Amino acid sequence: MADEAELREQFTEAFEGADYPISSPMDLVPALPNGPGTKFESGDFSMTAMELNTKLSGGEFPYESVDAFVDDVVDELKDQGHI
Protein backbone atom coordinates (compact mmCIF):
# COMPACT_ATOMS: atom_id res chain seq x y z
CA MET A 1 0.00 0.00 0.00
CA ALA A 2 1.29 3.44 -0.91
CA ASP A 3 1.97 5.96 1.83
CA GLU A 4 0.04 9.14 1.02
CA ALA A 5 2.30 11.41 3.09
CA GLU A 6 5.41 10.00 1.40
CA LEU A 7 3.95 10.53 -2.08
CA ARG A 8 2.75 14.02 -1.17
CA GLU A 9 6.32 14.88 -0.10
CA GLN A 10 7.77 13.47 -3.34
CA PHE A 11 5.26 15.36 -5.47
CA THR A 12 5.90 18.60 -3.60
CA GLU A 13 9.68 18.28 -3.96
CA ALA A 14 9.39 17.51 -7.67
CA PHE A 15 6.86 20.21 -8.55
CA GLU A 16 7.77 23.07 -6.21
CA GLY A 17 10.39 24.45 -8.60
CA ALA A 18 7.83 25.21 -11.31
CA ASP A 19 7.05 28.83 -12.11
CA TYR A 20 3.61 29.28 -10.51
CA PRO A 21 0.94 29.90 -11.53
CA ILE A 22 1.01 26.97 -13.95
CA SER A 23 -1.50 26.69 -16.76
CA SER A 24 -0.77 23.15 -18.03
CA PRO A 25 1.18 19.99 -17.16
CA MET A 26 3.89 21.12 -19.58
CA ASP A 27 4.69 24.00 -17.21
CA LEU A 28 5.90 21.38 -14.72
CA VAL A 29 8.42 19.60 -16.94
CA PRO A 30 11.32 22.06 -16.47
CA ALA A 31 11.01 21.69 -12.68
CA LEU A 32 11.23 17.89 -12.67
CA PRO A 33 14.67 16.54 -11.68
CA ASN A 34 14.58 13.84 -14.40
CA GLY A 35 12.05 15.43 -16.71
CA PRO A 36 9.03 13.29 -17.61
CA GLY A 37 10.94 10.22 -16.41
CA THR A 38 10.95 11.46 -12.80
CA LYS A 39 9.67 8.51 -10.75
CA PHE A 40 7.42 8.58 -7.71
CA GLU A 41 7.44 5.47 -5.51
CA SER A 42 5.88 4.34 -2.26
CA GLY A 43 4.96 0.80 -1.27
CA ASP A 44 3.44 -0.86 -4.33
CA PHE A 45 2.93 2.50 -6.09
CA SER A 46 5.43 3.38 -8.82
CA MET A 47 4.73 5.89 -11.55
CA THR A 48 6.75 8.30 -13.67
CA ALA A 49 5.65 11.89 -14.15
CA MET A 50 4.62 11.00 -17.70
CA GLU A 51 2.51 8.07 -16.48
CA LEU A 52 1.04 10.27 -13.77
CA ASN A 53 -0.02 12.81 -16.37
CA THR A 54 -1.91 10.11 -18.32
CA LYS A 55 -3.79 9.03 -15.15
CA LEU A 56 -5.00 12.50 -14.22
CA SER A 57 -8.11 14.04 -15.72
CA GLY A 58 -6.36 17.32 -16.44
CA GLY A 59 -6.94 19.09 -13.17
CA GLU A 60 -8.31 22.56 -12.70
CA PHE A 61 -5.60 24.64 -14.30
CA PRO A 62 -4.30 27.19 -13.61
CA TYR A 63 -2.82 26.30 -10.24
CA GLU A 64 -1.51 29.14 -8.11
CA SER A 65 0.71 27.02 -5.84
CA VAL A 66 2.42 23.68 -5.54
CA ASP A 67 0.20 22.77 -2.58
CA ALA A 68 -3.01 23.29 -4.57
CA PHE A 69 -1.65 21.18 -7.43
CA VAL A 70 -0.38 18.37 -5.18
CA ASP A 71 -3.69 18.31 -3.26
CA ASP A 72 -5.57 17.67 -6.50
CA VAL A 73 -3.07 15.03 -7.69
CA VAL A 74 -3.32 13.12 -4.40
CA ASP A 75 -7.12 13.40 -4.32
CA GLU A 76 -7.44 12.09 -7.86
CA LEU A 77 -5.04 9.19 -7.22
CA LYS A 78 -7.06 8.28 -4.13
CA ASP A 79 -10.32 8.46 -6.11
CA GLN A 80 -8.82 6.09 -8.70
CA GLY A 81 -7.65 3.65 -6.01
CA HIS A 82 -3.93 4.11 -6.64
CA ILE A 83 -3.32 5.27 -3.04
Side-chain angles (χ1 to χ4, degrees):
M1 182 85 164
D3 182 306
E4 179 182 335
E6 183 179 11
L7 285 173
R8 183 177 293 276
E9 183 179 329
Q10 290 178 38
F11 295 147
T12 300
E13 280 183 23
F15 300 128
E16 68 188 349
D19 189 17
Y20 288 88
I22 55 171
S23 57
S24 78
M26 293 307 296
D27 291 342
L28 297 165
V29 174
L32 296 171
N34 295 317
T38 299
K39 190 170 271 193
F40 305 102
E41 298 179 303
S42 176
D44 59 357
F45 179 93
S46 179
M47 200 174 288
T48 65
M50 185 178 292
E51 291 168 324
L52 183 65
N53 185 48
T54 65
K55 299 287 185 200
L56 302 177
S57 65
E60 296 183 25
F61 287 92
Y63 285 97
E64 299 295 324
S65 70
V66 68
D67 292 330
F69 178 70
V70 170
D71 286 347
D72 275 4
V73 168
V74 169
D75 287 347
E76 191 157 346
L77 289 173
K78 284 167 52 176
D79 289 348
Q80 294 177 14
H82 295 289
I83 56 174

